[in-house]
Amino acid sequence: MPQEPVVMQATGLNRRCAPVLLTAALLAACGKAPEPQAIAVPARQHQPPLNLSVCGQNVRYDHIPRRAVTHDVNITESFLYLGLGRRLVGYSGIPSSKEISPQLKPWLQRLPDLSSQGMNLEVLLGAEADFVFGGWSYGFRQGAVTPERLASHGIASYVLSESCIRVQKRERIALDDALLDMENISRIFGVLQQTQPRIDRLRASQSRLRQQMKGNRTLPRVFVYDSGQEIPVTVGHFGMPQAMLEEAGATNIFSDLTQNWQRGNWEDVIERDPEWIVIIDYGQPDALGKIEFLLQKKELEAVSAIRNRRFFVMSYAEATPGPRNIEAAQRLAAALHPERKISVQRVEFSAGELP
């Protein structure tokens, strides 16, 4: 039986109309021509209202957002990859330990950093946001900021597909999840026709990787090491690296875990004997520090990846759903299967310019 749609609209807030302009000093520091941080977009409605399935729930979007906020580095990169930077009034969840693409740093420096840690409702209201792009454990948390709580304040939202495993059962994770999210964001902002070529370029890279991996029968065992010394945090069956490993011709030694990111244990790492270790580079220690820790951990000395010094480093933004997943999967496939001469297509960003 169809559910009544949740209505996502922004009607209860006093929206500013004037664009916020950069100061001359900041513009000089960036070495760029003057550009506004956010443009005053005339209020528009979806005709008819847009209905999307978000975490298995039918959500209706009546209005095209004008003042958006993104949370976390991968989500912000997705938004900027689409060329929607001028719709942003701020971002959150990007501490200094999470590296954004160097191509996007100049753009990010022009926007307010609303919170380097968690999502804050009062700050969102103060920014007069009418839309938030986040995810469960990517800013949204039960008992804190949730899509329902935002809606009660007239703020629409969209939930990252990978994170839906936190609130519903899923069958699988796929690289396509991030592409679908970008298509849905484009629909919400009424720009899918302009952004589809950019999304299609990512799909073409994915198709190229699949073609180059066709017929592969060698599947190295891989341990994804996120963090943790007493107990390792790793990727389970529903985290984006699971899909990346599948595309790159490898197996995740913790694919039996039923979440996206969760705790494993060192005993299973030893028993399952990974041939490669993927290091997620963020936080402290950095990638080199994490590798040094693993090399010095005596109980791991017989593990194949440790003995053969086989490490692959991936940034946080590459390991979480976003436009750089496919490029990272290509690099991983090239490392695991050098004989296949995998081509790597670098992602190009145009943060504030729609095609």
Side-chain angles (χ1 to χ4, degrees), residues 30 80 91 98-111:
C30 292
L80 293 178
Y91 65 91
K98 291 181 178 178
E99 280 289 322
I100 197 162
S101 168
Q103 299 177 61
L104 297 177
K105 282 184 178 180
W107 185 270
L108 211 65
Q109 289 169 357
R110 307 172 185 190
L111 291 168

Side-chain angles (χ1 to χ4, degrees), residues 170-190:
R170 301 195 71 200
E171 292 185 4
R172 63 190 297 268
I173 181 76
L175 289 180
D176 287 338
D177 289 351
L179 305 183
L180 175 61
D181 286 337
M182 284 186 272
E183 287 177 336
N184 282 341
I185 290 295
S186 299
R187 291 184 177 99
I188 292 168
F189 282 82

Side-chain angles (χ1 to χ4, degrees), residues 69-228:
V69 172
T70 53
H71 186 90
D72 219 328
V73 62
N74 57 307
I75 289 174
T76 302
E77 287 196 357
S78 295
F79 200 83
L80 293 178
Y81 177 76
L82 296 172
L84 291 170
R86 294 176 184 271
R87 305 291 181 93
L88 278 178
V89 295
Y91 65 91
S92 58
I94 308 181
S96 59
S97 61
K98 291 181 178 178
E99 280 289 322
I100 197 162
S101 168
Q103 299 177 61
L104 297 177
K105 282 184 178 180
W107 185 270
L108 211 65
Q109 289 169 357
R110 307 172 185 190
L111 291 168
D113 181 353
L114 302 178
S115 170
S116 63
Q117 300 300 325
M119 195 179 287
N120 184 292
L121 179 61
E122 288 70 27
V123 171
L124 293 172
L125 293 173
E128 298 188 340
D130 64 1
F131 180 82
V132 174
F133 183 10
W136 295 108
S137 296
Y138 295 87
F140 296 146
R141 295 185 185 278
Q142 298 289 358
V145 180
T146 65
E148 292 75 19
R149 192 175 180 195
L150 289 174
S152 72
H153 289 275
I155 303 175
S157 65
Y158 182 81
V159 180
L160 191 74
S161 293
E162 183 228 37
S163 74
C164 294
I165 190 63
R166 298 285 177 178
V167 294
Q168 67 163 158
K169 290 183 177 180
R170 301 195 71 200
E171 292 185 4
R172 63 190 297 268
I173 181 76
L175 289 180
D176 287 338
D177 289 351
L179 305 183
L180 175 61
D181 286 337
M182 284 186 272
E183 287 177 336
N184 282 341
I185 290 295
S186 299
R187 291 184 177 99
I188 292 168
F189 282 82
V191 294
L192 181 59
Q193 185 175 353
Q194 297 100 305
T195 63
Q196 192 69 66
R198 293 183 181 180
I199 300 169
D200 287 345
R201 281 200 293 271
L202 297 178
R203 283 209 169 90
S205 293
Q206 181 182 9
S207 296
R208 190 177 304 113
L209 173 59
R210 288 177 174 173
Q211 183 62 35
Q212 292 177 326
M213 289 301 298
K214 192 173 182 179
N216 175 65
R217 297 288 182 269
T218 306
L219 302 174
R221 301 180 303 278
V222 175
F223 166 47
V224 177
Y225 180 48
D226 175 86
S227 58

Side-chain angles (χ1 to χ4, degrees), residues 39-40 48 64 79 114 119 124 145 155 172 216 245 247 252 257 284 294 297:
I39 58 174
I64 295 175
F79 200 83
L114 302 178
M119 195 179 287
L124 293 172
V145 180
I155 303 175
R172 63 190 297 268
N216 175 65
L245 290 171
E247 297 280 3
N252 174 16
L257 298 182
Q284 292 298 323
L294 294 172
K297 194 170 178 62

Side-chain angles (χ1 to χ4, degrees), residues 2 5 19 24 26 57 61-62 71 79 252 279 289 301 315 318 324:
L26 182 55
Q57 189 174 29
Y61 297 87
D62 289 339
H71 186 90
F79 200 83
N252 174 16
I279 303 290
E301 62 184 10
S315 73
E318 291 172 326
R324 288 200 275 162

Side-chain angles (χ1 to χ4, degrees), residues 270-309:
I270 295 167
E271 181 180 341
R272 298 176 186 189
D273 189 29
E275 298 164 272
W276 282 81
I277 298 177
V278 170
I279 303 290
I280 309 301
D281 187 14
Y282 79 104
Q284 292 298 323
D286 61 11
L288 290 177
K290 290 177 182 179
I291 291 172
E292 188 63 26
F293 163 72
L294 294 172
L295 290 173
Q296 293 182 1
K297 194 170 178 62
K298 189 170 180 56
E299 56 265 43
L300 298 181
E301 62 184 10
V303 170
S304 296
I306 299 295
R307 285 190 292 104
N308 296 311
R309 304 293 200 271

